[in-house]
Amino acid sequence: MDAIVKVEKPWLVMAGMLIGTFVGMLSETSLNIALPQLMKIFGVSSSQIQFLVTGYMLIIGIILPFSSLLTKWFSTRKIVITGLLAFIIGSVISAMAPNFAILLTGRMIQGIGTGLILPITFTVAMLIFPPYKLGTAMGVCSLVIMLAPAIGPTLTGIILGKLSWSYVFWLFVPFLVIALILAIFGLKNVGQITKPRVDFLSVIESVVGFSSLVMSVSLASGLGWSSPVVLGLLVLGLIVLFFYGKRQLHLTEPVLNLHVFNKRAFTLGALSVMVDFAIILSAMYLLPQYLQKGLSLPVAITGLIMLPGGIINAAVSAFAGRMYDSLGAKIPAVLGFILAIVGIVMLLMSNSHSSLAYVVAAHIILMVGCPLAMSPAQTYALNSLQGQESADGSTILNTMQQIVGALATALATSLLGLGQAAYQGADSAARFTNGVHYGLFFTLALAVVGVLLGINFGSRTPSKDLDA
C-alpha cells in the first residue's frame, strides 16, 4: 500500500521539522538543571521559576489545538518556516534577557515556535510514509521527542560548568538556522488548503480554558491550593473546557475533532502517551534538582550523571518503533510502564547519601521504560485513524502532552514544597530529598495507571479494535 502523498525523498522533507522538533523538546527540559542557579541570579522563588517550564508548555498547549486548522489555511512550508523564525527570535531574546520578565517573554515566544512545528511533524509523517514503514517513521519521530528531554540536562550541565546560563539559549540558534535552511530548500507542501470557517468562540474558549487550568496548578505551589485565586482559576478552566468540548462535538468543522475519542484504540493509546509524557516531565524536573540540592553535586557533574540515561533513551526509542511493526503495542507498552515503576521505586528508596551508581541505575531503568511505552502507544493511537482524522489525532495527542506536561511539572513543584515542609529536622539536603520523594509518589501513580491502560491494548494491531 502506497503513502497518501508521494514524495521522492521523504526523509529530506522531514529533516528541517525533525531538527526543529528536537530543539523544541530539548528546550522543554534543558532549563531544569539551571533552575537553582537562575533562582539566585534573578532573585525569584521556586514557585516563580517554574514558569520558565510551565509557561513554555502553556504557550505550546495554547497553539497546538489550532494546528489542524492552520494546516487548512496555510501551506506546510509557511507554518514550519514561521515556527522556526519564532523560535530563533525567542532564543535570542532569552539569551540577552536582563531580568526574569524578559527571560520569560523570550521563553514564551519559543513556545510559539514549538507549538507550530511539533504537530505538523507527525501529520506530515503520517502522509508521506507508506503504512508498512509507518512504525519505523513514528519511531524516529518519537526518538527525537524522547532523546531531547533526556539529554537536555546533560548539555545544560556541561554549558553551565564552563559558561554563562545565556549560552543555553545561544546553543539552540545554530541548529534552528540549519533547520530553517533545510525547510526553505527541502520541505514540500503536503497538505490541502481548504480555508474552512473559523469558530472564534472555540478559539477563545480554548485559550481561556487551557490557560486557566495550567495557571491554577502552577500558582498553587506558591499560593497554596486553598487560595481563592487558585480555586477560581481552576473552576473557571474546568467550566470553560467543559463547554469547549461540548461545542467541538456539535460543530460541523470543529477546531479540535474530539470525535476521534469514539475509537477505543485511539483513546487508550492517547491516554497512555499523556501518562508517559507526564512521567518523563515530572521525573526530569525533580531529578536534576535532587542531584544538586539533595546530593549536593555541582551542576556540571549533574549533567554528566544524566547522560547514560539519555543515551539509553535514544537507543530504546529507535528500537521501540520497530517493536510495534512486529509485536504490536501491548507488550512493549506494558513492559515499558513496569520498568518505569521499577526505576521510580528505586529513586523513592534513595536518600541524601545514596551512591551515584545507584541513582544512575535508577535513571537508566526509567529511561528504558518510558520510551519503550511511548512510541508503540502513539503509533497504536494514530494508526486507528484514517484520512483527516490522523491530523486531528496528532493535534490532540500533542496538545494534551503539553498541557499534561505543564500540569505534571506544576503538581511536582507543589508536592516538592509539601514534602519539604513536612520534614522534621535541620538537614537541608534531607529536607529537599523528602520533597523529591513526595513528587515521585505522584510519578509512581502515573506509571501504575500506564500499566492498567497498556493491559487493555489490542494484542497485535489496532485495526482489530477500531470499532470496539
Side-chain angles (χ1 to χ4, degrees):
M1 189 173 178
D2 294 330
I4 297 173
V5 178
K6 294 182 180 180
V7 295
E8 290 184 7
K9 298 178 180 179
W11 288 113
L12 179 61
V13 172
M14 295 292 297
M17 290 181 292
L18 287 173
I19 294 174
T21 300
F22 175 81
V23 176
M25 301 309 295
L26 179 68
S27 180
E28 203 155 86
T29 57
S30 61
L31 281 191
N32 286 349
I33 199 170
L35 295 181
Q37 189 177 113
L38 291 173
M39 286 171 60
K40 294 179 181 178
I41 292 172
F42 292 108
V44 294
S45 65
S46 59
S47 59
Q48 292 172 302
I49 203 71
Q50 68 158 321
F51 279 101
L52 291 178
V53 180
T54 58
Y56 175 75
M57 287 188 284
L58 172 60
I59 295 298
I60 299 174
I62 289 174
I63 298 292
L64 280 172
F66 310 120
S67 60
S68 180
L69 181 64
L70 289 171
T71 58
K72 299 169 187 174
W73 271 86
F74 304 99
S75 68
T76 308
R77 294 183 79 254
K78 286 182 179 179
I79 295 172
V80 174
I81 290 172
T82 300
L84 290 171
L85 286 172
F87 210 132
I88 292 171
I89 292 169
S91 298
V92 172
I93 291 174
S94 297
M96 300 177 67
N99 54 55
F100 182 72
I102 299 299
L103 175 61
L104 183 58
T105 299
R107 189 81 169 131
M108 289 184 164
I109 294 174
Q110 285 184 316
I112 295 173
T114 303
L116 290 173
I117 299 168
L118 179 62
I120 204 169
T121 302
F122 286 93
T123 301
V124 172
M126 295 291 291
L127 292 173
I128 67 175
F129 287 98
Y132 66 90
K133 289 185 178 179
L134 190 57
T136 301
M138 297 302 288
V140 173
C141 292
S142 295
L143 166 62
V144 168
I145 286 183
M146 299 293 287
L147 174 61
I151 69 171
T154 302
L155 291 176
T156 304
I158 294 172
I159 291 171
L160 294 177
K162 297 291 183 180
L163 302 168
S164 164
W165 62 269
S166 62
Y167 283 91
V168 175
F169 294 98
W170 288 123
L171 171 69
F172 303 145
V173 176
F175 292 101
L176 293 168
V177 170
I178 293 172
L180 182 61
I181 293 171
L182 288 170
I184 291 173
F185 294 103
L187 182 58
K188 307 296 181 184
N189 295 318
V190 298
Q192 293 184 345
I193 299 176
T194 58
K195 294 189 176 182
R197 185 181 70 86
V198 179
D199 184 61
F200 288 102
L201 180 57
S202 293
V203 172
I204 294 171
E205 288 177 336
S206 176
V207 173
V208 173
F210 287 123
S211 299
S212 299
L213 187 62
V214 174
M215 284 293 293
S216 67
V217 180
S218 299
L219 291 172
S221 60
L223 300 177
W225 285 97
S226 60
S227 165
V229 174
V230 172
L231 293 176
L233 285 171
L234 181 61
V235 172
L236 174 63
L238 292 174
I239 291 175
V240 172
L241 287 176
F242 170 78
F243 285 106
Y244 170 74
K246 189 175 181 180
R247 185 171 182 81
Q248 301 315 296
L249 292 172
H250 290 88
L251 287 174
T252 54
E253 294 180 329
V255 173
L256 211 58
N257 181 15
L258 301 181
H259 289 287
V260 294
F261 282 106
N262 290 332
K263 300 197 174 181
R264 182 173 179 270
F266 178 80
T267 301
L268 288 173
L271 290 174
S272 297
V273 169
M274 294 174 206
V275 167
D276 201 325
F277 201 70
I279 292 171
I280 296 168
L281 267 294
S282 58
M284 292 304 99
Y285 178 77
L286 294 167
L287 186 55
Q289 296 190 74
Y290 161 64
L291 292 171
Q292 291 180 69
K293 292 188 174 182
L295 296 181
S296 303
L297 296 175
V299 63
I301 299 299
T302 298
L304 292 174
I305 288 172
M306 299 186 73
L307 181 59
I311 295 173
I312 293 294
N313 180 287
V316 176
S317 294
F319 179 69
R322 294 182 181 274
M323 285 185 70
Y324 175 86
D325 291 335
S326 57
L327 298 175
K330 184 173 184 176
I331 293 174
V334 172
L335 179 59
F337 282 120
I338 289 175
L339 287 173
I341 289 174
V342 173
I344 296 165
V345 169
M346 288 179 66
L347 289 173
L348 280 168
M349 296 174 66
S350 67
N351 55 46
S352 57
H353 303 289
S354 294
S355 68
L356 295 184
Y358 179 84
V359 176
V360 169
H363 182 219
I364 287 175
I365 293 173
L366 182 60
M367 288 295 98
V368 170
C370 288
L372 191 61
M374 175 67 82
S375 181
Q378 185 157 318
T379 308
Y380 181 76
L382 292 178
N383 219 24
S384 68
L385 307 177
Q386 297 177 349
Q388 180 56 40
E389 283 186 340
S390 296
D392 295 329
S394 177
T395 299
I396 289 172
L397 278 180
N398 287 290
T399 299
M400 296 314 299
Q401 277 187 66
Q402 299 306 312
I403 296 299
V404 168
L407 293 174
T409 301
L411 285 169
T413 303
S414 294
L415 293 168
L416 177 65
L418 288 173
Q420 288 179 272
Y423 181 77
Q424 302 296 322
D427 189 333
S428 60
R431 181 184 299 109
F432 193 85
T433 301
N434 193 61
V436 170
H437 287 167
Y438 270 53
L440 287 173
F441 277 119
F442 165 65
T443 309
L444 177 62
L446 290 171
V448 172
V449 171
V451 171
L452 297 176
L453 289 169
I455 289 173
N456 287 283
F457 282 8
S459 58
R460 291 293 295 179
T461 61
S463 58
K464 295 179 182 180
D465 307 305
L466 292 184
D467 302 314

